[in-house]
Amino acid sequence: MQITIIGVGYVGLVQAVGLADFGFNVTCIEKDKEKLRELKFGRVPFYEPDLEDLLRKNLKRNRLNFTDNYLDNIAQSDVIFICVGTPPKKNGESDLRFVDQVSKEISNKIKGYTVIVSKSTVPVGTSRRIENILKKKNSLKSFDVVSNPEFLREGSALEDFIRPDKVIIGCRTIKAEKILKKIYKPLNRPYVVTNNETAEVIKYANNSFLATKITFINEIADLCENIDAEVETVAKAIGLDGRIGPKFLHPGPGYGGSCFPKDVKSLIYQGKKNSIDLKIVKAVDKANELRIKFLVKRIKKILNNKFNNIQIGILGISFKPNTDDIRKSPGIKLVRDLSKTKAKIKVYDPQAMKNAKKELNKTIEFCSNEYEVAKNSNLLVIVTEWNQFKNLNLFKIKKIMKKPMILDLRNIYSKEIEKNGFYYYAIGNN
Ligand code: UDX
């Protein structure tokens, strides 16, 4: 079976390397020449643990081929995974121009029965859209379009590929279902087989519900701060309810990344387009958008409304640990908002500094480690819960800070550190 992946970003590359490791021959089509060159030499152009090793292993086994040439490959493909980006438009609508472009290329070049798999996060009805493009030049019997959304988390994408909770197969024929099950057989995970439209909604419902859980515990955290309660204990207790579950109940600076913000807004747009006002999802989006402003006010209060001659150290810019991705990152939003004050800002992140320097203005001081950030700072703000921030040399930190104040937006530490002479502020604890 010849498998082709179109678009080798986060999703496409993990899919390609994962399937190659199952033993399939996988061809990857990517337009970006620079990215293509990197990949051919076994270099992953972003940080994702273990992905580069697996890429190199399968390049050596000649199971992976990278090209920018559609012509030769589409005709020989039995299964084509569309993994191109679906960036949000200003109104929240998903931009499907890349999906359309790729569908047209495929439509002109497929030969023999081919399964086209929509892997990108696409709004409901996109499978139909792809089918309509393909049937202009191909008989309905010569292809099937399958919706097979992924649930990969950045920083643990390979783990999530190999051990997904479920494999969603949205299709219209048994033939297509059988082919997808043959591909995913090595996973030995539960299938949810349904129609394309239901599979497309599952992806948005899944992500939006997770975003709702996070936003809910963030709101409870804000309440806890004002009523002398402990949000971590609340999260632990409600998480013990089997109907809720403990995951995604960690309070923080709000959800970021390339998925939740985009998917929540897209779902709201899809609701509106179908005359359904998704009030809860809209409230989640609004609450998350306002979170950083709320935290800047809290920082202002901690600093007694004084930013003049104040230095603030920021630890963590990536939107979560184990990634260099800063898209919609709370760290970026926080630094941008604080840069509007007179405070001097210093930042450090273990992986995201290169991306941060492209995004943030030059008045920010980019440091090479946590202690440089802490030096002469009046306040140290922990924004991303990198493991290496969990065992800082607090004795040294206290000595080099102008004032030993820590705002811990991920509750990595606890009030215990007040014994070391710190002023400690957490999320959801007074
Ligand atoms: C998410 C979904 O988890 C994944 O299934 C989907 O395929 C893509 O989007 P990702 O965006 O990589 O994955 O990261 P995730 O680990 O879900 O975190 C998303 C955001 O929520 C991050 O900003 C993270 O810091 C935040 N978060 C997560 C919390 O604030 N609290 C939590 O308890 C969990």
Side-chain angles (χ1 to χ4, degrees):
M1 185 192 291
Q2 178 56 41
I3 294 177
T4 296
I5 309 274
I6 302 180
V8 271
Y10 276 99
V11 173
L13 187 58
V14 171
Q15 183 75 4
V17 171
L19 293 180
D21 214 47
F22 286 170
F24 290 107
N25 286 318
V26 181
T27 294
C28 302
I29 299 176
E30 172 58 54
K31 289 256 186 239
D32 180 322
K33 295 251 183 284
E34 174 55 26
K35 200 190 269 188
L36 214 47
R37 204 151 47 89
E38 291 279 285
L39 290 165
K40 281 179 176 170
F41 284 106
R43 281 195 296 272
V44 173
F46 49 82
Y47 179 75
E48 180 62 42
D50 307 327
L51 187 55
E52 195 154 274
D53 291 350
L54 210 58
L55 167 64
R56 289 181 178 170
K57 179 181 143 197
N58 287 285
L59 277 171
K60 271 203 200 93
R61 291 171 159 177
N62 293 320
R63 286 190 184 146
L64 272 169
N65 163 39
F66 292 98
T67 174
D68 58 357
N69 174 341
Y70 270 87
L71 201 60
D72 313 347
N73 295 291
I74 296 297
Q76 285 134 26
S77 302
D78 301 302
V79 182
I80 300 170
F81 284 87
I82 298 177
C83 301
V84 293
T86 54
K89 293 180 184 171
K90 281 209 170 28
N91 63 356
E93 181 185 1
S94 303
D95 185 339
L96 295 176
R97 81 182 105 118
F98 301 120
V99 172
D100 291 346
Q101 200 179 335
V102 162
S103 303
K104 284 178 191 119
E105 300 261 12
I106 292 171
S107 178
N108 295 332
K109 297 189 177 76
I110 53 169
K111 270 204 175 59
Y113 177 71
T114 310
V115 176
I116 290 95
V117 186
S118 158
K119 192 93 192 153
S120 307
T121 305
V122 291
V124 184
T126 303
S127 292
R128 273 283 177 238
R129 188 186 179 111
I130 296 169
E131 284 161 0
N132 291 338
I133 291 170
L134 278 143
K135 69 186 186 187
K136 282 183 188 144
K137 297 204 167 166
N138 302 278
S139 83
L140 282 175
K141 288 230 171 305
S142 65
F143 69 90
D144 270 306
V145 175
V146 174
S147 172
N148 170 228
E150 47 71 34
F151 300 89
L152 307 177
R153 288 166 297 166
E154 289 181 35
S156 54
L158 275 179
E159 173 62 21
D160 293 342
F161 177 85
I162 295 160
R163 264 177 286 285
D165 301 327
K166 70 258 181 190
V167 176
I168 308 294
I169 300 176
C171 57
R172 303 197 203 288
T173 67
I174 301 282
K175 189 176 181 182
E177 177 190 336
K178 283 192 176 141
I179 288 171
L180 265 285
K181 283 185 172 175
K182 191 172 166 205
I183 290 174
Y184 287 115
K185 191 168 184 320
L187 288 179
N188 192 18
R189 306 299 282 179
Y191 291 107
V192 173
V193 182
T194 179
N195 65 25
N196 296 59
E197 289 65 34
T198 306
E200 288 163 342
V201 175
I202 288 169
K203 171 70 183 177
Y204 285 97
N206 205 103
N207 269 9
S208 300
F209 187 79
L210 291 171
T212 303
K213 250 188 126 173
I214 293 164
T215 309
F216 176 78
I217 201 66
N218 285 342
E219 278 199 342
I220 296 297
D222 298 346
L223 177 64
C224 288
E225 277 159 32
N226 290 352
I227 55 172
D228 217 9
E230 292 175 357
V231 72
E232 299 297 342
T233 310
V234 172
K236 181 170 175 245
I238 66 171
L240 285 168
D241 182 325
R243 295 164 298 178
I244 297 174
K247 291 183 178 174
F248 280 62
L249 283 175
H250 304 294
Y255 58 80
S258 63
C259 297
F260 283 0
K262 161 177 78 75
D263 294 353
V264 164
K265 291 180 192 300
S266 178
L267 186 58
I268 293 166
Y269 179 83
Q270 293 175 61
K272 202 162 56 184
K273 203 173 133 193
N274 292 282
S275 323
I276 300 291
D277 181 17
L278 295 172
K279 299 175 194 63
I280 294 174
V281 185
K282 280 164 73 175
V284 167
D285 180 49
K286 189 163 172 35
N288 195 62
E289 288 289 341
L290 293 172
R291 188 143 188 81
I292 292 299
K293 285 214 175 338
F294 173 79
L295 292 171
V296 168
K297 277 204 197 99
R298 188 160 177 218
I299 289 171
K300 203 170 169 183
K301 200 167 149 220
I302 293 170
L303 295 170
N304 299 319
N305 296 333
K306 230 167 62 66
F307 284 108
N308 257 12
N309 304 321
I310 289 285
Q311 177 178 295
I312 302 173
I314 302 288
L315 291 185
I317 292 288
S318 60
F319 82 95
K320 62 182 281 196
N322 299 319
T323 180
D324 60 353
D325 198 346
I326 59 170
R327 288 174 289 182
K328 298 289 180 195
S329 160
I332 289 281
K333 283 192 229 173
L334 183 62
V335 171
R336 280 200 178 121
D337 278 9
L338 289 174
S339 311
K340 292 171 193 155
T341 72
K342 291 198 172 9
K344 174 178 169 48
I345 313 291
K346 294 169 94 173
V347 303
Y348 170 68
D349 184 283
Q351 287 291 340
M353 293 306 271
K354 194 163 142 245
N355 291 334
K357 287 173 183 169
K358 289 180 206 157
E359 280 295 306
L360 294 171
N361 65 46
K362 303 303 165 234
T363 56
I364 308 293
E365 186 174 330
F366 297 99
C367 298
S368 48
N369 62 60
E370 301 88 333
Y371 301 96
E372 242 187 82
V373 170
K375 192 164 172 39
N376 296 330
S377 285
N378 303 76
L379 176 66
L380 195 57
V381 186
I382 300 173
V383 188
T384 310
E385 66 279 27
W386 284 95
N387 281 339
Q388 66 189 69
F389 295 161
K390 294 175 181 172
N391 45 26
L392 295 170
N393 176 339
L394 292 175
F395 179 73
K396 183 176 171 186
I397 293 272
K398 180 169 179 297
K399 257 176 66 180
I400 58 179
M401 284 186 77
K402 196 166 278 175
K403 191 166 179 193
M405 287 207 292
I406 292 183
L407 171 58
D408 184 357
L409 297 182
R410 297 290 185 170
N411 293 348
I412 286 178
Y413 294 98
S414 73
K415 278 213 168 301
E416 279 303 297
I417 69 169
E418 288 181 339
K419 289 182 194 136
N420 306 62
F422 281 93
Y423 296 88
Y424 178 73
Y425 304 90
I427 286 270
N429 288 308
N430 208 330

